[in-house]
Amino acid sequence: YTTGFTGSGASDSDKSTGVVALVMLDLRRRGKVGRLGMCGTDGRKLPAIRAHMKAALGDVYSGIDPSCIETWPPDGVVDREAYVAAADAFGPGDVAVIFTPDDTHGPIARACLARGMHVLLTKPPVKTLEEHRSLAAAAADAGRLCAVEVHKRYDPIYRDARDRVPSLGAFSYFTAHMSQPKHQLDTFKAWAGKSSDISYYLNSHHVDFHEWCLRGRARPEAVTALASDGVASERVGRPCEDTITLAVRWRNKLEPPALQEENQGREGRQEGAAARSFTGSAGHAVYTSSWIAARADVHSQQRWLSS
């Protein structure tokens, strides 16, 4: 996601040029940002990463110069906490964009917030409710923004659908599917089944989108998860789910539609009253994600239906 580089070279996916570094370099070209730094854990890879970025970006796009990016840890050095030195090199008001294995998001984000930096995290920001609350508190204490990059919210088709959902009435049913081809597991081999799983990685998109659509109108009250395994475990050499399905029961808010609109955004300020108002009809949703799909017409198969 940052550079498009994997241990075996350019990623064999739809992100062979990376996303984060390319975007930040383009913003720098347009004068929107200044100094750029990039931090990993294995400095032995950095020379190859620089060569890849020069070939994939610098030699292709006008005005894009990857050599301006400062890097941590030093070349040849392996340091799992290199983010501390990198964060120390920046200051209050700077921004940290964190695209790392899911179980590292919390410590890195807290270190950056403690130094007065704003933070943008890839989804999921962290993996438990306790960690979410801790991170939110750290951002509030620091007086800094800590946002999550759930980019489906910026997709015009998704935004249009979200605007139309209230006209459907009370929520009844939602189903979502998202999958990627199994060769993608080679890219994720270092962390798949260890730092995270396919539900955190892909289901998080549609769970967030659905919650965004129903905010203030319905809320989840029970969840059950099922998983298949076998293919991914063989591919990555450790226990790892192939496909994960979440079945969630939702409860609609019991109030006139006009009052629903008036109350949008008030959840959290009147938690007691809100809890009592979610006593309407039941709905349910099914979210499925997989990373053992066959190669197809697109890299990520994704679709959803709602009623």
Side-chain angles (χ1 to χ4, degrees):
Y1 279 91
T2 301
T3 67
F5 181 85
T6 70
S8 58
S11 174
D12 180 19
S13 73
D14 58 347
K15 301 175 181 66
S16 59
T17 59
V19 177
V20 180
L22 175 57
V23 168
M24 300 310 295
L25 286 165
D26 182 59
L27 290 173
R28 184 176 184 273
R29 178 185 65 83
R30 292 190 281 144
K32 303 295 184 181
V33 301
R35 181 183 175 207
L36 295 178
M38 183 172 68
C39 179
T41 60
D42 191 344
R44 297 170 299 184
K45 298 179 181 178
L46 287 173
I49 291 174
R50 293 190 194 99
H52 164 77
M53 293 178 68
K54 181 179 184 302
L57 303 178
D59 294 345
V60 176
Y61 298 103
S62 176
I64 297 293
D65 179 16
S67 68
C68 72
I69 299 176
E70 302 169 53
T71 56
W72 288 266
D75 286 11
V77 175
V78 176
D79 183 359
R80 300 297 177 188
E81 295 186 349
Y83 63 86
V84 175
D88 284 339
F90 287 81
D94 290 334
V95 178
V97 181
I98 302 172
F99 278 70
T100 59
D102 295 349
D103 58 351
T104 67
H105 292 176
I108 298 173
R110 283 190 289 271
C112 294
L113 289 167
R115 288 159 177 78
M117 301 174 71
H118 301 291
V119 170
L120 177 64
L121 283 158
T122 187
K123 49 72 195 168
V126 286
K127 295 165 59 181
T128 69
L129 179 59
E130 181 181 1
E131 289 176 298
H132 273 268
R133 288 173 170 165
S134 173
L135 191 56
D141 290 344
R144 293 295 183 264
L145 294 175
C146 184
V148 185
E149 191 272 341
V150 276
H151 52 262
K152 294 301 178 188
R153 294 194 183 201
Y154 301 97
D155 185 312
I157 294 176
Y158 280 71
R159 290 183 67 87
D160 179 68
R162 191 260 184 181
D163 291 341
R164 294 171 185 262
V165 161
S167 68
L168 299 177
F171 168 64
S172 179
Y173 177 66
F174 181 91
T175 180
H177 174 92
M178 197 168 185
S179 65
Q180 293 187 350
K182 56 179 172 287
H183 75 270
Q184 180 84 342
L185 282 163
D186 297 334
T187 300
F188 299 149
K189 194 170 186 177
W191 59 264
K194 181 172 63 174
S195 301
S196 192
D197 61 39
I198 188 58
S199 187
Y200 281 118
Y201 178 56
L202 290 186
N203 269 337
S204 53
H205 278 300
H206 285 128
V207 170
D208 173 77
F209 170 68
H210 192 207
E211 189 280 330
W212 184 43
C213 289
L214 296 181
R215 184 171 302 166
R217 303 176 62 243
R219 71 176 188 179
E221 62 180 17
V223 58
T224 300
L226 294 171
S228 303
D229 60 21
V231 177
S233 298
E234 183 177 348
R235 193 122 187 176
V236 303
R238 70 175 72 91
C240 181
E241 299 88 349
D242 297 338
T243 303
I244 296 177
T245 295
L246 307 178
V248 181
R249 183 174 70 240
W250 287 73
R251 184 67 59 182
N252 286 295
K253 200 167 188 178
L254 187 64
E255 61 184 17
L259 191 56
Q260 285 185 6
E261 183 175 348
E262 180 183 331
N263 285 338
Q264 285 285 343
R266 293 183 181 176
E267 315 309 326
R269 295 200 296 269
Q270 298 177 323
E271 290 186 4
R276 291 191 294 273
S277 67
F278 285 96
T279 56
S281 58
H284 75 279
V286 179
Y287 317 91
T288 295
S289 58
S290 178
W291 46 18
I292 64 162
R295 290 180 185 265
D297 52 333
V298 294
H299 182 73
S300 294
Q301 294 282 348
Q302 46 195 297
R303 52 191 175 270
W304 50 266
L305 296 169
S306 183
S307 61

